[in-house]
């Protein structure tokens, strides 16, 4: 399996805004302190559980998968 070099991965992380990527995929994000929150596209959320941090360009999903 091909592996990207750390240099390529770091370049992508620095050049691609995760917030812009998430918003262009159809997820509406709202300000929440220093982060932005929205409904996770991987679950049928009633409340926002996706947290995107523009400072670190990382995301976190704060909901456990409770499907059986």
């Amino acid at each position: 399996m091909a592996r990207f070099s750390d240099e390529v991965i770091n370049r992508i992380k620095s050049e691609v805004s995760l917030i812009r990527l998430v918003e262009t995929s159809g997820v509406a994000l709202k300000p929440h302190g220093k982060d932005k929150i929205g409904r996770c596209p991987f679950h049928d959320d009633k409340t926002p559980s996706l947290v995107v941090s523009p400072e670190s360009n990382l995301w976190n999903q704060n909901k456990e998968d409770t499907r059986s």
Side-chain angles (χ1 to χ4, degrees), residues 27 38-45 47-50 59 61:
V27 177
R39 291 184 179 171
C40 180
F42 308 116
H43 301 93
D44 186 24
D45 281 347
T47 59
S49 67
L50 178 69
W59 67 276
Q61 193 263 335

Side-chain angles (χ1 to χ4, degrees), residues 4-66:
F4 292 104
S5 70
D6 288 341
E7 181 183 329
V8 170
I9 292 171
N10 289 332
R11 192 185 89 223
I12 291 170
K13 287 168 107 177
S14 70
E15 292 178 6
V16 175
S17 164
L18 189 54
I19 289 188
R20 186 167 173 119
L21 181 66
V22 170
E23 288 177 330
T24 58
S25 68
V27 177
L29 294 174
K30 295 180 181 178
H32 185 74
K34 64 180 181 174
D35 299 325
K36 295 202 174 221
I37 61 171
R39 291 184 179 171
C40 180
F42 308 116
H43 301 93
D44 186 24
D45 281 347
K46 302 288 185 242
T47 59
S49 67
L50 178 69
V51 180
V52 182
S53 174
E55 215 171 89
S56 60
N57 209 31
L58 296 173
W59 67 276
N60 187 27
Q61 193 263 335
N62 293 325
K63 182 176 183 178
E64 291 184 28
D65 191 355
T66 57

